[in-house]
Amino acid sequence: MILSYIKTFGQYCRFISTVFRQPEKWKVFFKQLVFEINKLGVDSIPLVIIISIFIGAVICIQMTINIVSPMIPSYSTGLATREILLLEFSCTMMSLILAGKVGSNIASEIGTMRVTEQIDAMDIMGLNSANYIVLPKIIGFVLFVPVLCVLSMFMGLLGGALVAQFTDMISMENYEFGIQSFFNEWYVWYAIIKTIVFAYIITSVAAFYGYYVKGGSLEVGQASTKAVVSSSILILLADVILTKLLLQ
């Protein structure tokens, strides 16, 4: 079992060393980069908006219900909602959700190219297929994912504001005061840094499993599943390590 993991890790390192090479044609690379940013990043915006609004609203409701002590100030609901969104949800939880959408998309796309022998055709023509196919995906998603992270923060706070506006659970004044109180700018950068690392994990791991698919359509589906599971585990592991390094 351990030897199998070591072999897979070594194969992954060789794969990444092949991916991160200078593109043969920069014009083609930038064209692919824009395409991947639109497909992997821009197309994820509706999902991020919907989930963040509802999660922000749920967090606000739960904080209001559970913070009942008279010793705790009323603005604590807004403060807790902000901290939860900034520190964990908009970076870690959102990345886990995107691992399912983006990771499975990448693994299935590249896996389909492998089983239909499109990648073999590129190799025969002398192209660096890993660099041509994978590098724009990794760079494109890593460049755009901070936008998704900040958007998730904003929409999550908006979801909490909707609860304050349309219910009597908390006043809008207390909610606004809470999300402004004791604000630490580093938490925003902390979330962005983590999201960038997670974006690299999602794209590189998914591309790795898709690139080395053997078989047919059944194996492509299995590769997509392995990509999502593996990237999710690595995201949680990286979350622990980055939290220790960045918040100590």
Side-chain angles (χ1 to χ4, degrees):
M1 181 68 72
I2 296 178
L3 292 177
S4 176
Y5 287 142
I6 294 175
K7 180 181 178 181
T8 301
F9 179 71
Q11 190 178 22
Y12 171 81
C13 292
R14 287 172 50 198
F15 171 71
I16 291 301
S17 66
T18 306
V19 170
F20 284 94
R21 301 284 179 86
Q22 180 175 332
E24 297 180 8
K25 294 184 179 180
W26 284 100
K27 183 178 180 180
V28 176
F29 169 77
F30 285 118
K31 182 179 179 181
Q32 284 293 111
L33 180 64
V34 173
F35 175 78
E36 297 298 343
I37 289 176
N38 181 70
K39 185 178 70 171
L40 302 178
V42 177
D43 287 353
S44 299
I45 289 178
L47 177 65
V48 171
I49 290 176
I50 293 172
I51 293 177
S52 298
I53 288 178
F54 282 103
I55 292 297
V58 170
I59 292 173
C60 183
I61 293 172
Q62 290 182 346
M63 290 298 104
T64 305
I65 293 173
N66 289 282
I67 298 178
V68 294
S69 173
M71 302 296 292
I72 302 176
S74 56
Y75 65 81
S76 297
T77 295
L79 190 151
T81 301
R82 183 199 69 201
E83 298 296 81
I84 293 172
L85 288 170
L86 265 60
L87 291 174
E88 278 306 312
F89 176 77
S90 294
C91 48
T92 306
M93 296 300 106
M94 189 55 65
S95 294
L96 289 172
I97 295 169
L98 291 174
K101 178 185 181 299
V102 175
S104 61
N105 179 283
I106 292 175
S108 60
E109 178 186 342
I110 298 178
T112 301
M113 295 180 68
R114 169 63 75 181
V115 299
T116 56
E117 300 182 349
Q118 295 179 51
I119 294 177
D120 295 333
M122 292 181 187
D123 294 335
I124 291 173
M125 290 187 293
L127 292 175
N128 182 345
S129 57
N131 174 269
Y132 178 81
I133 298 171
V134 179
L135 186 61
K137 297 181 185 296
I138 295 178
I139 300 298
F141 193 57
V142 167
L143 287 177
F144 194 81
V145 81
V147 177
L148 297 178
C149 178
V150 175
L151 178 63
S152 175
M153 296 176 189
F154 175 78
M155 300 310 296
L157 294 175
L158 178 61
L162 293 175
V163 172
Q165 180 68 34
F166 296 106
T167 69
D168 57 357
M169 301 185 71
I170 181 176
S171 67
M172 180 60 77
E173 292 74 17
N174 284 333
Y175 180 77
E176 290 179 352
F177 185 78
I179 63 176
Q180 297 175 31
S181 300
F182 309 106
F183 175 68
N184 187 346
E185 181 185 349
W186 170 245
Y187 287 173
V188 177
W189 293 109
Y190 159 80
I192 292 175
I193 292 171
K194 287 208 304 182
T195 309
I196 290 174
V197 174
F198 298 158
Y200 169 78
I201 291 174
I202 292 170
T203 50
S204 62
V205 171
F208 168 74
Y209 278 103
Y211 192 82
Y212 288 103
V213 166
K214 294 181 180 179
S217 57
L218 178 62
E219 284 72 19
V220 172
Q222 293 173 348
S224 297
T225 302
K226 290 180 181 178
V228 174
V229 173
S230 298
S231 58
S232 297
I233 294 173
L234 291 173
I235 285 172
L236 294 174
L237 177 62
D239 184 35
V240 175
I241 297 172
L242 291 172
T243 300
K244 175 62 178 176
L245 293 175
L246 298 176
L247 290 184
Q248 64 179 354

